[in-house]
Amino acid sequence: QVQLVESGGGLVQPGGSLRLSCAASGSIFRLYAMGWYRQAPGKSRELVARTTRGGNTNYADSVKGRFTISRDNAKNTVDLQMNSLKPEDTAVYYCNADASVDAKQGIMNYWGKGTLVTVSA
């Protein structure tokens, strides 16, 4: 009952910036941890960044200092600001979230369908 929709992907030159957004909708009682994952060509899906409801963050070592994750609990959104992009950042980026749909049910995990980021000259 929770849908995640990513936006903001596209083609960018090395060294450039891009901002991804993820909007959660549906029967949301509460959103908990939210994060961004990516899957590069020929590689497995990996965690890029994660943020708790309280705003604590974790980043993959490969993106520390370049990417920033943020969230707006009032709008049910999570963003990923990507700076100093490198060709190796090229991947499909997926939004992920833990959420409950009401006070009686437990927490479920949800995925978006992904947005493609291509870093190339």
Side-chain angles (χ1 to χ4, degrees):
Q1 290 187 280
V2 176
Q3 295 81 45
L4 303 176
V5 180
E6 305 97 334
S7 63
L11 176 65
V12 64
Q13 294 185 348
S17 298
L18 208 60
R19 188 177 184 89
L20 305 182
S21 295
C22 173
S25 62
S27 300
I28 303 172
F29 177 72
R30 180 171 293 178
L31 288 168
Y32 300 94
M34 302 183 75
W36 289 92
Y37 291 72
R38 69 185 182 188
Q39 187 164 16
K43 296 185 178 180
S44 60
R45 189 173 300 186
E46 64 175 349
L47 174 68
V48 177
R50 176 181 178 273
T51 179
T52 67
R53 181 175 177 81
N56 294 321
T57 59
N58 295 100
Y59 297 91
D61 288 340
S62 60
V63 307
K64 286 182 179 178
R66 299 189 298 120
F67 291 9
T68 302
I69 189 170
S70 60
R71 66 188 294 163
D72 188 331
N73 290 332
K75 297 181 179 180
N76 290 336
T77 60
V78 60
D79 292 355
L80 184 68
Q81 178 65 47
M82 304 184 294
N83 299 325
S84 302
L85 284 162
K86 305 174 181 179
E88 50 263 46
D89 293 319
T90 296
V92 176
Y93 284 71
Y94 298 89
C95 180
N96 179 264
D98 291 331
S100 60
V101 297
D102 59 48
K104 298 181 180 179
Q105 298 297 314
I107 300 171
M108 299 290 288
N109 187 252
Y110 300 87
W111 289 93
K113 293 184 177 180
T115 184
L116 178 63
V117 172
T118 302
V119 184
S120 176

